[in-house]
Amino acid sequence: MQPWDLLASDTVQGFIEEALTRKWDALQVSTALHKAGYSNEDRAAIMDYMALVPKFREKFANKETARRMFLLCNKLALEQSTAQDIGRWKANLWPREGSVNDLCCGMGGDSFYLPASLQLTGIDLDENRLAMYRHNLQAFGKDASVKCADARSIEGAAFFTIDPARRAIEGENQRDLRNLTPTLEEVVEISKHYKGGMAKLPPGYPPAEIPDGTEILYLGGHSDCRECLVLFGELAKSPDTIRAVIIDKNGETAAEWTRKRDRSLETLDEDLQEKLDRNDSLEGKDRTYRTATSRSDLSLGGIGKYIAEPAPVLIRSRLFSDAALAHDQDAHLISEGIAYVSSDRMLPAPAFTSYEILAHTEIATGAVRSMLKEHDIGKITLKLRGVKLDPDAEAKRLKPKGKNSAILFYTRFHGEKIAILTRRCPPEPALSWPNGRA
């Protein structure tokens, strides 16, 4: 049992605030706690909790509310919680009245930013998590009740939100993304007892297993995709569609792409599956991108003038093909199953980060060195996809000497290893999607 009463006390929280303000190191903190008469066990609990305070303030607070924010959590609960940018964005998906069961509620991240007019109940099988939830919702000025119960057996609300457990007992990430508790099949059954709801799934969850009639959203920032959100019932305003949304730090939509769901992009014919499985066995192949780009409307082609990285939400949602073709009908992949798009026109931000191609060669030390020397490159940033090596060790081995800097891609061209020398293109406002959407 975690010493929540101890950590929530004014005395301990006052001590922590003083220690953080004065920037005490671990020895100073331990010494001060010892002088204050805390036991070894309590000192360890306080110091472990102290390490989390700056992290949850960064994740959930703004400049006005960061100071003196004290939430109850442990490391795992904090890692699993929805951060404030996505939490604030998702708040707009809810009605302004009714009741909501926060199933598998954890420390409460999915309830923090829900409309204040909603009646909230946190439900979990773990009494520790319920203690966190109750305390934290009060810290956010919300009056919420709690129930210790199995999410699969509880009803009594109009809507639900659920974040199925994705961790093994020992705290390690589940390798099989489908190994959730409750399972998606059980979440679908749960949804039948509510007017509507939402389920937060890992971004790489197999989309073919998500049922018809739902709305699927891939949410993240400019450089990440943090969740696959499945909307059920009345919350699914556009059923059988897929959305990819880039959310800014304030919880506002920075860019958004939508299309009707096409199940042919979610399932593979046997020949393509065999080819991708064979490609996946190549040294260094990144499984993340095999599962994310297993099927694409983009054809294979040659090395064009530019190479572009799709935003992570577009990779996960498989909408990068639509985004690329909307700007350049000749945009194409350079190797099947790897999300690098080549074209003779620069693809626009924020959908893509584009790089101008300077040269390319086989991945062989002598050939790459010659390419770097020809372009007077002395500083390189390595980007790897489909090739496995230590970037630092490779940079030392290449020993670049020159005045210029560049980005060096180690990837695949039609399945074969290739080194592509580039420089990053600054995003041009004229190439941005109209109104941030496409």
Side-chain angles (χ1 to χ4, degrees):
M1 176 71 69
Q2 293 291 338
W4 303 123
D5 291 340
L6 171 70
L7 299 178
S9 68
D10 292 339
T11 302
V12 167
Q13 292 186 359
F15 171 86
I16 291 174
E17 195 62 50
E18 179 182 8
L20 292 174
T21 300
R22 296 188 177 187
K23 299 180 180 180
W24 288 348
D25 60 27
L27 180 58
Q28 289 173 307
V29 171
S30 181
T31 300
L33 289 172
H34 178 72
K35 289 181 178 179
Y38 289 99
S39 66
N40 291 340
E41 183 179 0
D42 286 348
R43 288 205 306 273
I46 293 170
M47 293 181 71
D48 286 345
Y49 176 69
M50 273 191 66
L52 299 178
V53 174
K55 296 178 181 179
F56 66 62
R57 288 181 175 180
E58 180 182 3
K59 191 167 187 175
F60 301 117
N62 54 38
K63 292 180 179 179
E64 291 72 30
T65 61
R67 183 171 175 80
R68 304 298 298 181
M69 172 185 270
F70 284 98
L71 305 180
L72 292 183
C73 63
N74 55 28
K75 182 179 179 182
L76 185 57
L78 180 58
E79 288 175 350
Q80 292 177 332
S81 291
T82 301
Q84 64 170 316
D85 53 349
I86 289 184
R88 292 181 188 280
W89 189 89
K90 292 198 300 189
N92 297 313
L93 301 175
W94 293 93
R96 289 301 178 261
E97 59 182 34
S99 54
V100 178
N101 282 343
D102 188 342
L103 307 175
C104 307
C105 63
M107 68 175 287
D110 287 318
S111 289
F112 291 166
Y113 305 101
L114 294 188
S117 54
L118 293 176
Q119 180 183 343
L120 302 176
T121 302
I123 296 165
D124 207 294
L125 285 170
D126 188 334
E127 292 281 4
N128 284 325
R129 297 294 178 94
L130 292 175
M132 296 177 194
Y133 183 90
R134 184 187 293 109
H135 173 92
N136 296 340
L137 268 291
Q138 290 175 352
F140 273 83
K142 294 180 181 290
D143 182 17
S145 58
V146 299
K147 290 182 181 179
C148 186
D150 190 321
R152 293 163 289 197
S153 62
I154 198 77
E155 298 180 22
F159 301 94
F160 75 93
T161 178
I162 188 168
D163 181 5
R166 302 182 304 282
R167 304 270 179 170
I169 294 175
E170 66 271 18
E172 296 295 327
N173 278 314
Q174 294 282 10
R175 293 186 178 276
D176 187 347
L177 295 175
R178 292 167 292 192
N179 195 5
L180 304 178
T181 306
T183 64
L184 179 58
E185 291 80 5
E186 290 171 325
V187 171
V188 172
E189 288 301 312
I190 288 170
S191 72
K192 296 176 182 178
H193 300 281
Y194 295 85
K195 291 182 179 180
M198 61 176 62
K200 183 172 79 173
L201 303 181
Y205 194 91
E209 298 186 10
I210 299 175
D212 293 333
T214 59
E215 185 175 355
I216 306 172
L217 289 75
Y218 290 85
L219 309 177
H222 285 84
S223 60
D224 59 27
C225 181
R226 276 176 269 164
E227 63 183 74
C228 170
L229 188 68
V230 181
L231 304 181
F232 296 85
E234 292 182 8
L235 295 192
K237 301 300 184 183
S238 301
D240 296 315
T241 63
I242 295 178
R243 274 198 279 168
V245 186
I246 295 177
I247 299 169
D248 68 19
K249 294 180 180 180
N250 298 317
E252 301 292 335
T253 300
E256 179 179 321
W257 299 265
T258 306
R259 67 162 167 80
K260 293 297 290 184
R261 189 173 182 185
D262 183 354
R263 282 195 171 273
S264 69
L265 299 179
E266 301 170 2
T267 56
L268 305 179
D269 58 64
E270 293 183 2
D271 290 342
L272 180 56
Q273 182 66 70
E274 182 182 356
K275 184 183 297 183
L276 290 171
D277 286 342
R278 185 168 60 250
N279 193 34
D280 192 47
S281 67
L282 294 170
E283 181 184 5
K285 185 71 182 72
D286 187 338
R287 288 179 179 271
T288 297
Y289 292 97
R290 185 190 75 100
T291 57
T293 68
S294 55
R295 193 85 176 234
S296 172
D297 288 335
L298 296 180
S299 60
L300 286 178
I303 305 293
K305 185 177 179 181
Y306 298 97
I307 188 169
E309 291 181 293
V313 293
L314 287 174
I315 294 176
R316 289 301 193 183
S317 63
R318 298 159 177 81
L319 288 176
F320 72 91
S321 299
D322 303 66
L325 293 173
H327 185 72
D328 185 351
Q329 285 295 315
D330 295 323
H332 54 269
L333 299 179
I334 61 173
S335 196
E336 202 159 32
I338 296 180
Y340 283 145
V341 182
S342 188
S343 63
D344 288 326
R345 298 173 62 192
M346 194 173 86
L347 298 181
F352 298 91
T353 302
S354 292
Y355 303 83
E356 183 182 3
I357 296 175
L358 304 176
H360 56 84
T361 187
E362 61 178 329
I363 297 182
T365 302
V368 176
R369 280 179 180 170
S370 296
M371 181 172 65
L372 297 177
K373 183 177 180 180
E374 179 182 351
H375 291 269
D376 198 22
I377 304 300
K379 182 179 179 181
I380 59 172
T381 299
L382 267 172
K383 286 183 170 289
L384 310 176
R385 194 170 294 174
V387 176
K388 183 178 180 180
L389 50 77
D390 182 325
D392 293 333
E394 181 67 7
K396 290 179 181 179
R397 182 162 49 248
L398 292 173
K399 300 177 181 178
K401 297 178 182 179
K403 298 178 181 179
N404 300 322
S405 60
I407 295 91
L408 182 60
F409 287 78
Y410 274 16
T411 186
R412 303 270 175 178
F413 176 59
H414 291 251
E416 300 298 324
K417 292 180 182 179
I418 189 172
I420 304 175
L421 186 66
T422 73
R423 60 185 168 208
R424 183 169 177 170
C425 303
E428 298 181 21
L431 290 178
S432 296
W433 296 103
N435 300 318
R437 287 169 171 79

